[in-house]
Amino acid sequence: MKRPLTSFVLLALLGAFMFSLEGCGDEPNPCKEKKPFTADFGIYQSLGDSLYIIDTVLLVDPAFRERTLNSSEAIVFKASGDYDTYEWKIGDDPRIFTQKQFALNFDRAALGEIKVTLTATGKAVTSCFADDDGRDTQVQSFRILRGEDFSLSILGKFEGYVTSNPSRKFTFEIRDFGLPPINWDPNNHYYIRTHNFPEGCSESLPFALDRFSYGINQFSFSEFYMLRPGTSPDCVEPERIIDAYGKVSTNGNIKIFYRFTASGSNLVKRNAFIGKRLK
């Protein structure tokens, strides 16, 4: 009758031993979250006081007067990290640039695709990656195209709402009136202008109906920047916009992020317009 008890004791001891082994092999892996040294960078265009990622730049012939794009543009190249060294190669430019961030001006002589190469060095993680030499090369490219061959993506009529009041939809328009002629008429519109953004906002001009009052200060093919577009008493919402940045995607969706102050207040707040291009 003692043998079953002996078997039971052996099983219990075996279970305790197996339980004591539970968790073995689960010690933290010091290389689990580690990565070999990797560089990265962005290609930017400046709108307002901010930089925005781009892959296409449109430039126009200075003699082309029907659109107000620039005939040259400064493009910013910026590494994503604080690396030990930087070695940039931009297209066919024979120079080597060694800064973390810099800008170059491009004109229509550079039409086409421009390859950008960054070779950077930093701290190698040899404890986890024996082949890591602390050196990495990344390649991107952007295009410079003839602006007169394209209709700007930012132009058109859009319907949407501001995020502070999503149930109220309204329509606004961005239209290109072109550059003013030598003998320009002060009662006509020129340049790229907006109508009804923010809702009801316009400018007290003698030609009051369908006023396209607020001009767009800077723009690219699909992005734009407006400085102080909402300053009239006609705005539906009691707010005065300080500045606004907008982007139109390839499917016609538009987002405009803007800063404003409420009526009677100096407190700066943020809001956004979310919408879509009307057919």
Side-chain angles (χ1 to χ4, degrees):
M1 298 298 292
K2 292 181 181 180
R3 294 184 65 181
L5 180 60
T6 302
S7 299
F8 176 79
V9 172
L10 289 175
L11 288 173
L13 291 173
L14 180 61
F17 175 72
M18 294 299 293
F19 181 80
S20 68
L21 292 179
E22 191 171 321
C24 287
D26 292 339
E27 293 183 7
N29 181 357
C31 294
K32 183 177 181 180
E33 304 298 329
K34 299 283 188 179
K35 294 181 179 179
F37 173 75
T38 304
D40 196 11
F41 69 93
I43 304 171
Y44 301 87
Q45 199 167 359
S46 173
L47 291 177
D49 57 359
S50 300
L51 296 175
Y52 299 96
I53 289 281
I54 57 97
D55 59 12
T56 302
V57 179
L58 299 184
L59 298 179
V60 299
D61 187 327
F64 186 75
R65 306 295 287 175
E66 297 182 15
R67 184 167 306 123
T68 51
L69 279 168
N70 295 330
S71 57
S72 65
E73 191 68 55
I75 304 302
V76 177
F77 307 95
K78 181 181 178 181
S80 301
D82 294 320
Y83 310 134
D84 292 343
T85 65
Y86 311 86
E87 185 177 295
W88 298 85
K89 182 72 172 63
I90 312 298
D92 296 329
D93 194 320
R95 294 173 293 178
I96 299 296
F97 302 90
T98 58
Q99 309 96 309
K100 176 181 179 179
Q101 175 179 331
F102 64 100
L104 293 177
N105 202 61
F106 293 86
D107 58 23
R108 288 166 62 93
L111 288 175
E113 184 167 344
I114 298 177
K115 184 170 73 171
V116 180
T117 303
L118 169 63
T119 299
T121 61
K123 184 178 181 180
V125 190
T126 53
S127 58
C128 297
F129 306 96
D131 295 334
D132 186 4
D133 60 357
R135 183 181 179 88
D136 187 43
T137 298
Q138 294 291 326
V139 179
Q140 298 184 36
S141 64
F142 68 101
R143 299 175 299 167
I144 298 180
L145 304 178
R146 291 162 42 94
E148 56 266 35
D149 293 340
F150 297 87
S151 175
L152 293 176
S153 177
I154 65 174
L155 302 179
K157 292 184 178 180
F158 303 87
E159 182 183 58
Y161 59 88
V162 294
T163 52
S164 60
N165 189 4
S167 62
R168 184 184 181 94
K169 288 189 175 182
F170 64 94
T171 300
F172 82 97
E173 183 176 358
I174 302 177
R175 185 185 298 182
D176 186 358
F177 289 90
L179 294 175
I182 296 176
N183 299 315
W184 62 281
D185 185 346
N187 291 320
N188 285 339
H189 286 309
Y190 303 105
Y191 305 107
I192 295 181
R193 306 178 78 87
T194 63
H195 177 249
N196 203 37
F197 182 82
E199 185 183 8
C201 288
S202 60
E203 191 171 42
S204 296
L205 298 175
F207 44 96
L209 294 177
D210 290 330
R211 291 173 288 193
F212 284 79
S213 56
Y214 296 111
I216 288 178
N217 303 78
Q218 293 178 280
F219 60 91
S220 62
F221 176 67
S222 60
E223 298 165 293
F224 59 90
Y225 174 76
M226 303 166 64
L227 179 64
R228 300 189 182 280
T231 56
S232 81
D234 303 328
C235 301
V236 171
E237 296 292 334
E239 60 188 35
R240 299 293 179 263
I241 292 185
I242 300 171
D243 57 11
Y245 162 76
K247 181 176 178 63
V248 180
S249 62
T250 54
N251 60 4
N253 291 333
I254 185 171
K255 292 183 179 180
I256 305 176
F257 301 95
Y258 61 92
R259 299 184 302 160
F260 70 96
T261 58
S263 179
S265 171
N266 292 323
L267 180 64
V268 176
K269 299 182 180 181
R270 297 179 183 272
N271 208 348
F273 173 86
I274 309 295
K276 189 172 182 63
R277 186 192 306 277
L278 295 175
K279 299 295 185 182

